[in-house]
Amino acid sequence: QVQLVESGGGLVQAGGSLRLSCAVSGSIFRFNVMGWYRQAPGKQRDLVATIFSGGTTSIADSVKGRFTISRDNAKNTVYLQMNSLKPEDTAVYYCNARSFAQGYNYWGQGTQVTVSS
């Protein structure tokens, strides 16, 4: 069974940085795309960033210039580097992995990021 385990969340002050990790049980290349989503209290779950199996990345406008997504293929891990954090970045961040042809769609349990002003 595929497992996605997020880590790296915590409490930081505005302007600080965090790096989130998503460790995958098995090769990340089983998936067409992996991404990070976030959900703040009372709001919908929004896409933050994606990385496709070929290496192409996409970043949401709300975090562009501050967040980057990357991966370590040897460790089967996807990262979300978050810089210049703002209070509005406060949310639970979820890792996601999808395979289009197979219809796979997996979610991690989430990691809390809280940014204080």
Side-chain angles (χ1 to χ4, degrees):
Q1 293 181 339
V2 173
Q3 290 183 311
L4 308 179
V5 181
E6 301 99 331
S7 62
L11 174 64
V12 298
Q13 292 182 309
S17 298
L18 285 174
R19 189 180 73 165
L20 306 184
S21 299
C22 175
V24 181
S25 59
S27 176
I28 60 176
F29 294 104
R30 292 177 293 173
F31 308 106
N32 294 106
V33 62
M34 297 191 66
W36 288 95
Y37 291 72
R38 67 184 183 184
Q39 187 168 24
K43 296 186 177 181
Q44 65 182 340
R45 187 174 297 186
D46 293 327
L47 179 64
V48 176
T50 59
I51 182 165
F52 285 82
S53 59
T56 301
T57 62
S58 181
I59 308 295
D61 289 340
S62 59
V63 301
K64 192 170 295 182
R66 300 187 296 119
F67 292 11
T68 57
I69 187 170
S70 63
R71 69 190 182 200
D72 186 328
N73 298 334
K75 295 181 178 180
N76 292 319
T77 300
V78 175
Y79 302 98
L80 183 68
Q81 179 66 47
M82 305 184 295
N83 299 325
S84 301
L85 283 162
K86 304 175 181 179
E88 50 263 44
D89 295 319
T90 295
V92 177
Y93 285 71
Y94 298 92
C95 184
N96 173 260
R98 300 186 183 189
S99 294
F100 302 142
Q102 298 89 342
Y104 297 151
N105 187 13
Y106 299 102
W107 293 92
Q109 292 298 309
T111 184
Q112 176 71 49
V113 172
T114 302
V115 184
S116 62
S117 60

